[in-house]
Amino acid sequence: MADKKALILSGGGARGSYQAGVWRYLEETNWKPDIICGTSVGAINACAIGSGLKSEELTNLWLNLDKDKVMHTSWRTTARELFRKKYAPLADTTPLRQLIKEKLDLSRLNRSDVKVVISAVNILTSELRFFENPDIKIEHILASSAIPLFFPWQMVDGQPHWDGGIMANTPILPAITRGASEIIVVLLSPVGGSEAMEAPRTKDEALERLYELYLLGSYRNIEQGIEYQKEVSKQMSPIEAFLLSFRNHLGDTKIRVIAPKKLLGLGSFLNFTREQAEALTEKGYQDAKENFDT
């Protein structure tokens, strides 16, 4: 069986333009994934790439995106709902549904030879669910990107679903179980990078750090689990190590992580502006280039 390459796209709201920059570099180097897994905005980008969008098209989508093309909201509505006990989302995502219909060719996505897997969480059963082509529908994409409290949940199979980032913001496991031998993970948070960060000094910094850890958590758990299994296998006989590797689909899997180097600010999460998109697509491109050059 030929080696498989996988691209993993984390969630992170408007920071998703960073992934468009990474995709531009990968396309220039002719790096083609066999598997793409995404959550939240990563699910939207994954389906965009899987439906055949080239890097220039994906970048232009982000550059021309603004808040009104993603959601309808108002400060008055937000203030009112924040102080009500009854649950109601703070935004209406009808524009996002229309954007996906216009920009993503789901028919082509579902015919693609590239396996695309996106995640969402069933609110009633607390089950992490994965949806994949050739059966991906617009409801699945909206469910994967339904940010709790901000966006309305999405009904799938008659049950409400929220953003897959709640449980798997970096859905690397589907790629591992499908035998990917080379995995590129694109995170949208710098927390956990090579450089240690200072402890938060203010409440705002503490809140920002908490959000960054939320974005990173699921990947860190998988990453540390893989490292633990590799350490355990070193202490085993060759046959025991082989069986463990086979059982866990790890083998000689190589994982490359591309992520921003500096904190992007809590406000970047919903900052759907051309200015931020231009900055983050360039950061994504440069960070990917530097990662492959080292």
Side-chain angles (χ1 to χ4, degrees):
M1 183 181 295
D3 291 340
K4 293 181 181 179
K5 297 179 180 179
L7 178 63
I8 315 299
L9 303 175
S10 293
R15 297 177 181 181
S17 53
Y18 179 89
Q19 295 170 345
V22 173
W23 179 236
R24 176 160 66 95
Y25 178 81
L26 295 179
E27 190 177 80
E28 286 182 5
T29 58
N30 204 34
W31 192 94
K32 298 178 180 180
D34 303 290
I35 306 164
I36 309 175
C37 305
T39 290
S40 197
V41 72
I44 296 175
N45 283 336
C47 290
I49 295 170
S51 67
L53 259 65
K54 300 299 183 183
S55 62
E56 183 178 0
E57 295 173 299
L58 185 59
T59 297
N60 286 336
L61 189 156
W62 275 100
L63 293 179
N64 292 298
L65 200 61
D66 58 40
K67 182 180 72 67
D68 292 335
K69 293 179 180 178
V70 177
M71 57 187 169
H72 288 150
T73 188
S74 69
W75 289 112
R76 180 179 297 178
T77 300
T78 300
R80 183 180 70 244
E81 297 299 341
L82 280 174
F83 291 100
R84 290 180 62 186
K85 288 187 177 180
K86 185 177 180 180
Y87 170 75
L90 301 179
D92 170 18
T93 53
T94 299
L96 178 60
R97 174 184 284 270
Q98 187 60 33
L99 180 73
I100 292 171
K101 282 184 177 180
E102 291 177 359
K103 301 297 184 181
L104 273 61
D105 186 343
L106 297 191
S107 177
R108 183 173 178 179
L109 168 66
N110 285 316
R111 296 194 310 269
S112 175
D113 292 332
V114 177
K115 175 59 66 176
V116 176
V117 184
I118 62 178
S119 66
V121 174
N122 184 316
I123 298 173
L124 303 185
T125 65
S126 301
E127 175 190 6
L128 176 64
R129 299 191 63 192
F130 293 102
F131 307 107
E132 59 188 75
N133 55 347
D135 300 310
I136 292 179
K137 301 176 182 178
I138 192 169
E139 287 74 17
H140 301 142
I141 303 173
L142 289 170
S144 184
S145 53
I147 305 168
L149 304 182
F150 284 98
F151 293 173
W153 58 57
Q154 181 66 41
M155 301 299 289
V156 177
D157 300 328
Q159 295 190 318
H161 287 68
W162 260 339
D163 194 316
I166 299 171
M167 291 185 173
N169 196 53
T170 307
I172 192 173
L173 208 54
I176 293 175
T177 58
R178 283 169 173 78
S181 57
E182 181 181 349
I183 300 176
I184 292 179
V185 177
V186 186
L187 303 176
L188 297 178
S189 171
V191 171
S194 57
E195 296 183 7
M197 295 183 175
E198 296 181 355
R201 293 165 295 181
T202 66
K203 289 182 179 179
D204 287 346
E205 288 181 358
L207 183 61
E208 180 181 3
R209 190 67 56 85
L210 180 63
Y211 172 66
E212 303 293 349
L213 290 170
Y214 157 75
L215 291 183
L216 189 69
S218 64
Y219 170 70
R220 243 336 167 220
N221 285 338
I222 294 294
E223 179 191 50
Q224 292 177 349
I226 291 173
E227 291 304 315
Y228 173 75
Q229 294 288 3
K230 287 181 177 179
E231 286 299 318
V232 169
S233 67
K234 291 178 183 178
Q235 303 172 28
M236 295 179 174
S237 67
I239 186 62
E240 288 175 325
F242 171 78
L243 291 173
L244 177 68
S245 174
F246 180 78
R247 186 184 70 193
N248 289 285
H249 305 275
L250 295 178
D252 295 321
T253 302
K254 296 178 176 62
I255 300 177
R256 186 187 298 269
V257 178
I258 301 171
K261 295 182 175 61
K262 297 181 180 179
L263 290 168
L264 302 176
L266 195 58
S268 63
F269 176 56
L270 291 174
N271 182 18
F272 292 98
T273 63
R274 187 181 186 91
E275 181 181 16
Q276 174 168 292
E278 287 178 341
L280 290 186
T281 52
E282 184 60 25
K283 283 180 184 293
Y285 179 86
Q286 295 299 334
D287 288 347
K289 184 176 187 299
E290 182 178 320
N291 191 293
F292 274 80
D293 286 345
T294 56

